Amino acid sequence: MAVIIDGKAVSARLRREMTAEVAALKEAGLVPGLAVVLVGEDPASQVYVRNKMRACEELGIRSRDYRLPGDTTEEALLDLIGELNRREDVHGILVQLPLPKQIREEAVIAAIAPEKDVDAFHARNVGKIVQGSYDFLPCTPAGVLELIRSTGVSVTGKECVVIGRSNIVGKPMAMLMLHENATVTICHSRTQNLPQVTRRADILIVAIGKAKFVTADMVKPGAVVIDVGMDRDENGKLCGDVDFASVEPVAGYLTPVPGGVGPMTITMLMRNTITAAKLLGGRRG
Ligand code: GUN
C-alpha cells in the first residue's frame, strides 16, 4: 500500500515558515504585496482567486484584488498591468487565466514586468528556468517538487515520466526534474505504448486533466506517483488524473485529490511573492 503524501501538512509547515519570514520583513519595513487580477466571472477562477487572497491574509502579505468585467478590452487590461508594474507597493502580479477570448493571453503575460511575474509565465522567466538560474518557479511544478522532497526519495539518476506537456505544468515540471538529475521522459496524447513508458517511471507525474486516467497497470511497483489533476468523476465528485483506488496498492507514494498538489500551488505563489518583495527590496510600499 502506498504512503499517502499529505499536501495539506507539507503546505502548513511551509506556510508557518513563511509567516515568520513575512513578519521579519515587516519589522525591516518591507510589506510583500500581491495584486490579483480577475477578468470576468468564471466560477472556478473566482474560487482560486478567493483562496489566493485568503492565503495572503493568513501570511500577512498585502493583497490587492482587481475584478474587471468580462467585456474588458485588452488595452484596458494592459493599462492596468502597466500601472501595477509601476506601483512600488506591488511586488507580485497575477492575472488569473483563462482570459476572455477578446484578450490575448500571450500579450498579457508579456506585459507583466518579469521581476513581478510570480507565476513565472513570462518568456524571460521561462528562459531562465531552462538555463537553470531562476528567481521564480511556476507554482504547481514547484509544489510538486516540494512534495517529492517530502518523501525523502532521492531523485538523482531516477526515471521520471511526466504525462502532459502544458506550458503551466508539464514542460516546466520536466525541466525541474532534469535540474534534479532525473532521466526525464515527457508523454502526451500522441505517445505510443503509453503504459509501457509509464511503467518505467520511478517518479510518475500526471497532469493531463482526464479523470482516473492512470490505472495500476501503468505504474511501476513502489513508484512515487504525483497527481496534478483536478477532475470530476462520473458522479460529479472531485478526483484526479490517477485512479486512486487502483493505484494505491501498487505505488510506493501517492498524492490524494483533494489534499495533494492543490494546497501546494498557492503556498508556492506566496513563496514567489515573498521572493519578489525581497528582490525588489529597497522599493518600499
Ligand atoms: N489558472 C489556472 N492555474 C493558474 C495559475 O497557476 N496561474 C494563473 N495566473 N492562472 C491560472
Side-chain angles (χ1 to χ4, degrees), residues 18-275:
M18 286 185 227
T19 303
E21 191 176 4
V22 171
L25 288 173
K26 281 184 175 172
E27 283 283 310
L30 179 62
V31 184
L34 175 68
V36 180
V37 182
L38 175 59
V39 186
E41 318 217 312
D42 178 59
S45 291
Q46 285 177 331
V47 173
Y48 291 139
V49 164
R50 194 162 59 236
N51 289 339
K52 286 169 186 176
M53 309 291 288
R54 202 176 284 159
C56 284
E57 201 175 315
E58 184 190 321
L59 268 70
I61 291 172
R62 183 190 288 151
S63 63
R64 288 175 188 281
D65 182 7
Y66 296 85
R67 308 263 171 153
L68 306 180
D71 60 357
T72 298
T73 62
E74 184 178 300
E75 193 187 1
L77 180 57
L78 293 179
D79 281 350
L80 172 62
I81 291 171
E83 182 199 324
L84 296 173
N85 284 342
R86 288 187 294 274
R87 280 188 78 121
E88 297 196 351
D89 59 347
V90 170
H91 305 103
I93 301 171
L94 182 138
V95 179
Q96 187 67 28
L97 304 178
L99 288 165
K101 57 183 180 322
Q102 74 275 15
I103 302 178
R104 293 169 302 151
E105 274 179 14
E106 62 277 16
V108 171
I109 290 168
I112 296 173
E115 58 276 16
K116 296 191 177 187
D117 169 37
V118 284
D119 267 323
F121 290 168
H122 191 287
R124 203 169 95 192
N125 288 322
V126 175
K128 284 172 115 179
I129 290 164
V130 174
Q131 289 179 331
S133 63
Y134 41 78
D135 301 316
F136 308 117
L137 289 176
C139 302
T140 300
V144 169
L145 191 55
E146 288 291 345
L147 291 179
I148 294 170
R149 287 197 176 125
S150 79
T151 65
V153 171
S154 160
V155 174
T156 294
K158 297 283 171 59
E159 289 270 357
C160 175
V161 173
V162 179
I163 317 183
R165 54 176 160 176
S166 70
N167 287 334
I168 293 185
V169 184
K171 285 186 210 165
M173 189 74 246
M175 200 49 67
L176 292 198
M177 297 310 284
L178 184 60
H179 293 328
E180 295 291 316
N181 301 310
T183 301
V184 183
T185 305
I186 307 178
C187 298
H188 46 78
S189 53
R190 308 283 178 86
T191 297
Q192 292 182 357
N193 304 321
L194 182 65
Q196 202 175 314
V197 180
T198 59
R199 269 201 304 270
R200 286 209 314 259
D202 301 302
I203 301 167
L204 179 61
I205 302 169
V206 194
I208 44 170
K210 287 190 181 162
K212 301 186 182 180
F213 180 82
V214 170
T215 44
D217 58 305
M218 300 169 74
V219 175
K220 179 177 179 176
V224 177
V225 180
I226 307 284
D227 188 350
V228 183
M230 276 282 220
D231 314 307
R232 298 273 167 190
D233 70 9
E234 58 283 3
N235 302 314
K237 192 164 166 269
L238 191 62
C239 70
D241 292 348
V242 175
D243 184 359
F244 190 92
S246 132
V247 169
E248 191 191 10
V250 180
Y253 296 85
L254 177 60
T255 60
V257 177
V261 174
M264 294 298 294
T265 297
I266 294 182
T267 300
M268 295 298 106
L269 172 66
M270 300 296 108
R271 176 191 277 172
N272 283 349
T273 304
I274 296 168
T275 301

